[in-house]
PDB file of all heavy atoms in Angstrom:
ATOM      1  N   ASN A  26      -5.581   4.064   1.586  1.00 98.00           N
ATOM      2  CA  ASN A  26      -5.667   3.876   0.156  1.00 98.00           C
ATOM      3  C   ASN A  26      -7.025   4.469  -0.329  1.00 98.00           C
ATOM      4  O   ASN A  26      -8.050   3.935   0.084  1.00 98.00           O
ATOM      5  CB  ASN A  26      -5.544   2.431  -0.183  1.00 98.00           C
ATOM      6  CG  ASN A  26      -5.475   2.101  -1.676  1.00 98.00           C
ATOM      7  OD1 ASN A  26      -6.185   2.797  -2.339  1.00 98.00           O
ATOM      8  ND2 ASN A  26      -4.609   1.326  -2.195  1.00 98.00           N
ATOM      9  N   ASP A  28      -8.132   4.757  -3.513  1.00 98.00           N
ATOM     10  CA  ASP A  28      -8.519   4.327  -4.803  1.00 98.00           C
ATOM     11  C   ASP A  28     -10.074   4.126  -5.011  1.00 98.00           C
ATOM     12  O   ASP A  28     -10.668   4.566  -5.977  1.00 98.00           O
ATOM     13  CB  ASP A  28      -8.054   2.907  -5.141  1.00 98.00           C
ATOM     14  CG  ASP A  28      -6.505   2.838  -5.256  1.00 98.00           C
ATOM     15  OD1 ASP A  28      -5.915   4.044  -5.220  1.00 98.00           O
ATOM     16  OD2 ASP A  28      -5.922   1.736  -5.336  1.00 98.00           O
ATOM     17  N   GLU A  89       1.282   3.574  -5.854  1.00 98.00           N
ATOM     18  CA  GLU A  89       1.283   2.185  -6.262  1.00 98.00           C
ATOM     19  C   GLU A  89       1.395   2.137  -7.771  1.00 98.00           C
ATOM     20  O   GLU A  89       0.600   2.775  -8.460  1.00 98.00           O
ATOM     21  CB  GLU A  89       0.091   1.429  -5.775  1.00 98.00           C
ATOM     22  CG  GLU A  89       0.185   0.990  -4.312  1.00 98.00           C
ATOM     23  CD  GLU A  89      -1.090   0.184  -3.889  1.00 98.00           C
ATOM     24  OE1 GLU A  89      -1.737  -0.378  -4.834  1.00 98.00           O
ATOM     25  OE2 GLU A  89      -1.449   0.240  -2.838  1.00 98.00           O
ATOM     26  N   CYS A 109       5.273   2.005  -4.593  1.00 98.00           N
ATOM     27  CA  CYS A 109       5.171   0.649  -4.273  1.00 98.00           C
ATOM     28  C   CYS A 109       4.888  -0.169  -5.545  1.00 98.00           C
ATOM     29  O   CYS A 109       3.868   0.105  -6.283  1.00 98.00           O
ATOM     30  CB  CYS A 109       4.005   0.354  -3.318  1.00 98.00           C
ATOM     31  SG  CYS A 109       3.761  -1.343  -2.936  1.00 98.00           S
ATOM     32  N   VAL A 111       3.744  -3.012  -7.731  1.00 97.00           N
ATOM     33  CA  VAL A 111       2.704  -4.191  -7.550  1.00 97.00           C
ATOM     34  C   VAL A 111       2.532  -4.947  -8.928  1.00 97.00           C
ATOM     35  O   VAL A 111       2.825  -4.331  -9.957  1.00 97.00           O
ATOM     36  CB  VAL A 111       1.405  -3.557  -7.129  1.00 97.00           C
ATOM     37  CG1 VAL A 111       1.480  -2.914  -5.799  1.00 97.00           C
ATOM     38  CG2 VAL A 111       0.774  -2.712  -8.221  1.00 97.00           C
ATOM     39  N   THR A 120      -5.403  -6.319  -6.704  1.00 69.00           N
ATOM     40  CA  THR A 120      -4.027  -6.834  -6.849  1.00 69.00           C
ATOM     41  C   THR A 120      -4.037  -8.298  -6.205  1.00 69.00           C
ATOM     42  O   THR A 120      -4.035  -8.312  -4.922  1.00 69.00           O
ATOM     43  CB  THR A 120      -3.100  -5.953  -6.098  1.00 69.00           C
ATOM     44  OG1 THR A 120      -3.200  -4.602  -6.567  1.00 69.00           O
ATOM     45  CG2 THR A 120      -1.565  -6.377  -6.565  1.00 69.00           C
ATOM     46  N   PHE A 150       5.746  -5.078  -3.367  1.00 97.00           N
ATOM     47  CA  PHE A 150       4.575  -5.673  -2.663  1.00 97.00           C
ATOM     48  C   PHE A 150       4.676  -7.257  -3.013  1.00 97.00           C
ATOM     49  O   PHE A 150       4.500  -7.674  -4.079  1.00 97.00           O
ATOM     50  CB  PHE A 150       3.292  -5.197  -3.460  1.00 97.00           C
ATOM     51  CG  PHE A 150       2.003  -5.673  -2.796  1.00 97.00           C
ATOM     52  CD1 PHE A 150       1.857  -5.662  -1.429  1.00 97.00           C
ATOM     53  CD2 PHE A 150       0.926  -5.961  -3.648  1.00 97.00           C
ATOM     54  CE1 PHE A 150       0.596  -5.906  -0.879  1.00 97.00           C
ATOM     55  CE2 PHE A 150      -0.250  -6.258  -3.043  1.00 97.00           C
ATOM     56  CZ  PHE A 150      -0.438  -6.327  -1.618  1.00 97.00           C
ATOM     57  N   GLU A 170       6.346  -4.586   1.168  1.00 98.00           N
ATOM     58  CA  GLU A 170       5.043  -4.602   1.764  1.00 98.00           C
ATOM     59  C   GLU A 170       4.511  -6.002   1.474  1.00 98.00           C
ATOM     60  O   GLU A 170       4.525  -6.556   0.424  1.00 98.00           O
ATOM     61  CB  GLU A 170       4.111  -3.622   0.964  1.00 98.00           C
ATOM     62  CG  GLU A 170       2.780  -3.640   1.622  1.00 98.00           C
ATOM     63  CD  GLU A 170       1.751  -2.550   1.116  1.00 98.00           C
ATOM     64  OE1 GLU A 170       2.251  -1.428   0.901  1.00 98.00           O
ATOM     65  OE2 GLU A 170       0.593  -2.782   1.128  1.00 98.00           O
ATOM     66  N   GLY A 208      -0.244  -5.091   4.029  1.00 98.00           N
ATOM     67  CA  GLY A 208      -1.569  -4.568   3.615  1.00 98.00           C
ATOM     68  C   GLY A 208      -2.238  -5.452   2.665  1.00 98.00           C
ATOM     69  O   GLY A 208      -1.703  -6.269   1.987  1.00 98.00           O
ATOM     70  N   HIS A 209      -3.580  -5.213   2.571  1.00 98.00           N
ATOM     71  CA  HIS A 209      -4.521  -5.872   1.684  1.00 98.00           C
ATOM     72  C   HIS A 209      -5.548  -6.747   2.473  1.00 98.00           C
ATOM     73  O   HIS A 209      -5.160  -7.583   3.254  1.00 98.00           O
ATOM     74  CB  HIS A 209      -3.831  -6.823   0.589  1.00 98.00           C
ATOM     75  CG  HIS A 209      -4.750  -6.936  -0.639  1.00 98.00           C
ATOM     76  ND1 HIS A 209      -4.541  -6.138  -1.808  1.00 98.00           N
ATOM     77  CD2 HIS A 209      -5.926  -7.608  -0.904  1.00 98.00           C
ATOM     78  CE1 HIS A 209      -5.490  -6.464  -2.664  1.00 98.00           C
ATOM     79  NE2 HIS A 209      -6.290  -7.360  -2.107  1.00 98.00           N
ATOM     80  N   GLY A 210      -6.735  -6.311   2.299  1.00 98.00           N
ATOM     81  CA  GLY A 210      -7.847  -7.093   2.976  1.00 98.00           C
ATOM     82  C   GLY A 210      -7.879  -6.880   4.464  1.00 98.00           C
ATOM     83  O   GLY A 210      -8.585  -7.615   5.171  1.00 98.00           O
ATOM     84  N   ASN A 229      -1.109  -0.384   4.951  1.00 98.00           N
ATOM     85  CA  ASN A 229      -1.831   0.279   3.891  1.00 98.00           C
ATOM     86  C   ASN A 229      -3.256  -0.313   3.768  1.00 98.00           C
ATOM     87  O   ASN A 229      -3.319  -1.583   3.423  1.00 98.00           O
ATOM     88  CB  ASN A 229      -1.022   0.300   2.577  1.00 98.00           C
ATOM     89  CG  ASN A 229       0.071   1.282   2.632  1.00 98.00           C
ATOM     90  OD1 ASN A 229      -0.210   2.468   2.885  1.00 98.00           O
ATOM     91  ND2 ASN A 229       1.340   0.770   2.612  1.00 98.00           N
ATOM     92  N   ILE A 230      -4.233   0.477   4.070  1.00 98.00           N
ATOM     93  CA  ILE A 230      -5.688  -0.066   4.040  1.00 98.00           C
ATOM     94  C   ILE A 230      -6.527   0.782   3.220  1.00 98.00           C
ATOM     95  O   ILE A 230      -6.455   2.089   3.409  1.00 98.00           O
ATOM     96  CB  ILE A 230      -6.088  -0.192   5.587  1.00 98.00           C
ATOM     97  CG1 ILE A 230      -5.022  -0.870   6.455  1.00 98.00           C
ATOM     98  CG2 ILE A 230      -7.443  -0.860   5.626  1.00 98.00           C
ATOM     99  CD1 ILE A 230      -5.362  -0.952   7.825  1.00 98.00           C
ATOM    100  N   GLY A 231      -7.389   0.179   2.416  1.00 98.00           N
ATOM    101  CA  GLY A 231      -8.233   0.994   1.639  1.00 98.00           C
ATOM    102  C   GLY A 231      -9.704   0.548   1.542  1.00 98.00           C
ATOM    103  O   GLY A 231     -10.625   1.205   2.146  1.00 98.00           O
ATOM    104  N   HIS A 232      -9.964  -0.601   0.890  1.00 98.00           N
ATOM    105  CA  HIS A 232     -11.290  -0.981   0.580  1.00 98.00           C
ATOM    106  C   HIS A 232     -12.216  -0.986   1.746  1.00 98.00           C
ATOM    107  O   HIS A 232     -13.345  -0.366   1.670  1.00 98.00           O
ATOM    108  CB  HIS A 232     -11.264  -2.294  -0.185  1.00 98.00           C
ATOM    109  CG  HIS A 232     -12.660  -2.760  -0.601  1.00 98.00           C
ATOM    110  ND1 HIS A 232     -13.416  -3.591   0.137  1.00 98.00           N
ATOM    111  CD2 HIS A 232     -13.386  -2.473  -1.708  1.00 98.00           C
ATOM    112  CE1 HIS A 232     -14.545  -3.767  -0.529  1.00 98.00           C
ATOM    113  NE2 HIS A 232     -14.565  -3.148  -1.699  1.00 98.00           N
TER     114      HIS A 232
HETATM  115  N1  PXP B 308      -1.321  -2.473  -0.420  1.00 80.68           N
HETATM  116  C1  PXP B 308      -1.302  -2.641  -1.889  1.00 80.68           C
HETATM  117  C2  PXP B 308       0.061  -2.717  -2.433  1.00 80.68           C
HETATM  118  C3  PXP B 308      -2.483  -2.781  -2.576  1.00 80.68           C
HETATM  119  O1  PXP B 308      -2.408  -3.065  -3.896  1.00 80.68           O
HETATM  120  C4  PXP B 308      -3.708  -2.624  -1.944  1.00 80.68           C
HETATM  121  C5  PXP B 308      -4.929  -2.629  -2.694  1.00 80.68           C
HETATM  122  O2  PXP B 308      -5.008  -1.650  -3.629  1.00 80.68           O
HETATM  123  C6  PXP B 308      -3.774  -2.273  -0.533  1.00 80.68           C
HETATM  124  C7  PXP B 308      -2.537  -2.300   0.178  1.00 80.68           C
HETATM  125  C8  PXP B 308      -4.972  -2.126   0.193  1.00 80.68           C
HETATM  126  O3  PXP B 308      -5.796  -3.225   0.119  1.00 80.68           O
HETATM  127  P1  PXP B 308      -7.240  -3.105   0.640  1.00 80.68           P
HETATM  128  O4  PXP B 308      -7.896  -2.129  -0.353  1.00 80.68           O
HETATM  129  O5  PXP B 308      -7.802  -4.481   0.490  1.00 80.68           O
HETATM  130  O6  PXP B 308      -7.285  -2.602   2.022  1.00 80.68           O
END
Side-chain angles (χ1 to χ4, degrees):
N26 185 316
D28 294 351
E89 278 182 25
C109 179
V111 300
T120 314
F150 189 44
E170 180 171 328
H209 208 96
N229 284 300
I230 309 179
H232 183 265

